[in-house]
Amino acid sequence: MGFFKEFKDDFSDAVNELVPDANYDDADENLETSDEMVDTLDEEIDVDNELSKLDGLFEQVSKKVDNNETIAVTDKVEPEKDKKADKKDKKADKKDKKADKKADKKENNTMDSFQTFTPQDTASDNTQSSAPTMSTAAASDENAVITKGMTITGNLESTGSINVEGTINGDITCNGKLVITGLVEGNSNSAEFFADSARVVGEVNTSGTAKVGVGSVVVGNIVATSAVIAGAVKGDIDVQGPVVVDTSAVVVGNIKSRSVQINNGAVIEGFCSQTYSDVDVEGVFG
């Protein structure tokens, strides 16, 4: 009997260490009843019966221990899941904050632009900055067309090209090409001049080539870097480069240029002088 009692005490201590929970009072009661049964025996002990009781206690303890372990494992897993969920929530919050900051910046920029670009500010800028003159501004790609049935009285200015098919009573200034197929009574200043079956009464000043086509009449002086005359010109021609006088040309005036080409049939009433040539005339005869 002493052997089983000691074994029972050791076993109960081991159970208490493994599962120190009040839920296992049933196991202790079973052990006490088994102790009472053992104490009542004086002479003989049924070893097989006692072992079978112990086997039942082992099964109960193992089941409860297994249940406790699974609970502990689940308790550990759930916090990990909660941590992952918290991380995801934090990342989502950060993204939302960044999006809100970007939206705020855009709103601030738009408000700043509305505040800075006011009509008063633009007016002050226009007064302070001087507009570019027609002579220094670069020619644009714009092309203004004056139709045949249109008549303009007054000066005309453009940063691009002008095509005059109608009538203009005034001066013309453009940074591009001036093409006249109508009537112009006034001086012209352009980057390039071309008259085709036109009538121009006024001086022609161009920084490029001056072309007077067949059927055109120009009454006025012509100043250019080069010239091709196939129509009628009544005025002096002052050209820094070459001048070509075609067979259909009629020139009443002096021609001053670097070189002159006069085709057969051209009529010239005036003097021709190559004053812009590189030849030293006085040195040749001196």
Side-chain angles (χ1 to χ4, degrees):
M1 182 179 69
F3 170 76
F4 284 102
K5 184 172 181 174
E6 292 177 359
F7 182 76
K8 185 266 295 183
D9 293 334
D10 295 334
F11 185 74
S12 63
D13 294 335
V15 170
N16 291 327
E17 291 178 358
L18 290 173
V19 187
D21 196 346
N23 293 327
Y24 300 105
D25 293 336
D26 295 336
D28 294 335
E29 291 177 357
N30 292 328
L31 291 173
E32 290 177 358
T33 53
S34 62
D35 188 11
E36 290 176 357
M37 291 177 66
V38 172
D39 292 337
T40 54
L41 295 175
D42 294 331
E43 295 179 356
E44 294 181 358
I45 298 172
D46 190 354
V47 177
D48 295 331
N49 188 10
E50 295 296 333
L51 292 175
S52 63
K53 292 179 180 180
L54 292 175
D55 292 336
L57 291 175
F58 277 121
E59 292 177 358
Q60 292 179 2
V61 172
S62 61
K63 288 181 180 180
K64 292 181 179 180
V65 171
D66 293 335
N67 291 330
N68 192 12
E69 289 179 353
T70 54
I71 292 170
V73 171
T74 54
D75 291 338
K76 291 180 180 179
V77 172
E78 287 178 356
E80 291 179 355
K81 292 182 179 179
D82 294 335
K83 289 180 181 179
K84 291 181 180 179
D86 292 336
K87 289 181 180 179
K88 291 181 180 179
D89 293 335
K90 289 181 180 179
K91 289 181 180 179
D93 293 336
K94 288 182 181 179
K95 290 181 180 179
D96 294 335
K97 289 180 180 178
K98 289 181 180 179
D100 294 335
K101 287 182 180 178
K102 289 181 180 179
D104 293 336
K105 286 182 180 178
K106 288 182 180 179
E107 290 179 358
N108 293 328
N109 291 330
T110 53
M111 292 300 293
D112 293 337
S113 63
F114 282 120
Q115 291 175 359
T116 54
F117 293 100
T118 57
Q120 295 178 354
D121 293 336
T122 54
S124 63
D125 292 337
N126 290 329
T127 55
Q128 291 177 0
S129 62
S130 60
T133 60
M134 298 297 295
S135 60
T136 58
S140 64
D141 295 333
E142 296 179 354
N143 187 12
V145 179
I146 310 301
T147 58
K148 291 182 179 180
M150 183 180 294
T151 300
I152 296 176
T153 301
N155 298 332
L156 184 63
E157 295 182 0
S158 174
T159 57
S161 301
I162 299 176
N163 189 354
V164 181
E165 299 176 359
T167 302
I168 295 179
N169 297 319
D171 298 337
I172 300 174
T173 303
C174 66
N175 293 342
K177 184 177 181 180
L178 176 60
V179 179
I180 301 174
T181 58
L183 174 62
V184 174
E185 292 184 357
N187 301 326
S188 64
N189 189 349
S190 62
E192 189 175 354
F193 177 85
F194 178 53
D196 185 13
S197 300
R199 181 176 178 83
V200 179
V201 179
E203 294 185 357
V204 176
N205 190 348
T206 176
S207 59
T209 302
K211 297 179 182 180
V212 180
V214 179
S216 299
V217 177
V218 177
V219 180
N221 298 328
I222 297 176
V223 178
T225 56
S226 62
V228 177
I229 309 298
V233 177
K234 187 178 182 179
D236 295 336
I237 299 174
D238 188 354
V239 176
Q240 298 289 331
V243 175
V244 177
V245 182
D246 205 356
T247 57
S248 59
V250 176
V251 178
V252 179
N254 299 324
I255 298 175
K256 184 167 60 175
S257 65
R258 185 175 182 179
S259 63
V260 178
Q261 177 183 340
I262 302 174
N263 294 334
N264 190 13
V267 176
I268 300 176
E269 292 184 2
F271 295 99
C272 294
S273 174
Q274 287 77 43
T275 57
Y276 300 116
S277 64
D278 296 333
V279 178
D280 186 6
V281 179
E282 294 181 358
V284 172
F285 293 99

